[in-house]
Amino acid sequence: MRRVAGYLYRNNQRYSQALKISKNDQVYQDAMEAVKMSENPELVSEILQYFLDIKDKEAFCACTYKCYEFLQPDVVLELSWKAGWMDFAIPYFIQYVRDVSFRLQNMEKKE
């Protein structure tokens, strides 16, 4: 029943409430989906910090993938380095480097 409440909060753009319910119920996939839908970098940073606090490396890695477009590389680098989880941040950085390289190539082609 609470998962339905989280879904309703998410669809009514009450993302922080949806995130709170999902974290309490340990439904991390729903939490990541709510944060992604919010398009709020602060909420994304909050959930990453939460995954650090509960020491869930895999959820941290999954969140960097799912919420890629709302993350800043310096935030991911700092959080993963402090926790000693650089291995779990590498997929994010590979995607980031690829994305930046692709943008740079497109800019060079336009010149």
Side-chain angles (χ1 to χ4, degrees), residues 74-93:
D74 60 321
V75 172
V76 176
L77 181 62
E78 179 183 355
L79 293 175
S80 61
W81 179 69
K82 283 183 176 180
W85 292 0
M86 287 301 293
D87 289 346
F88 292 88
I90 292 298
Y92 169 82
F93 288 112

Side-chain angles (χ1 to χ4, degrees), residues 2-6 8 11 15 18 21 23 27 30-31 35 45 49 53 63 66-67 73-74 86 90 100-101 103:
R2 289 177 52 88
R3 189 168 186 191
V4 172
L8 291 173
N11 286 342
Y15 303 112
I21 286 176
K23 286 191 318 188
V27 185
D30 289 356
V35 168
S45 295
Q49 185 61 52
D53 294 342
C63 188
K66 186 152 187 99
C67 302
D74 60 321
M86 287 301 293
I90 292 298
V100 170
S101 296
R103 289 181 192 172

Side-chain angles (χ1 to χ4, degrees), residues 68 71 73 91-101 103:
Y68 169 79
L71 285 169
Y92 169 82
F93 288 112
I94 291 170
Q95 179 64 31
Y96 181 77
V97 168
R98 185 202 175 285
D99 192 34
V100 170
S101 296
R103 289 181 192 172

Side-chain angles (χ1 to χ4, degrees), residues 29-48:
Q29 184 175 358
D30 289 356
M32 287 184 256
E33 189 63 35
V35 168
K36 182 178 180 177
M37 288 177 68
S38 76
E39 299 180 0
N40 184 341
E42 291 175 10
L43 280 180
V44 177
S45 295
E46 178 185 329
I47 195 169
L48 283 179

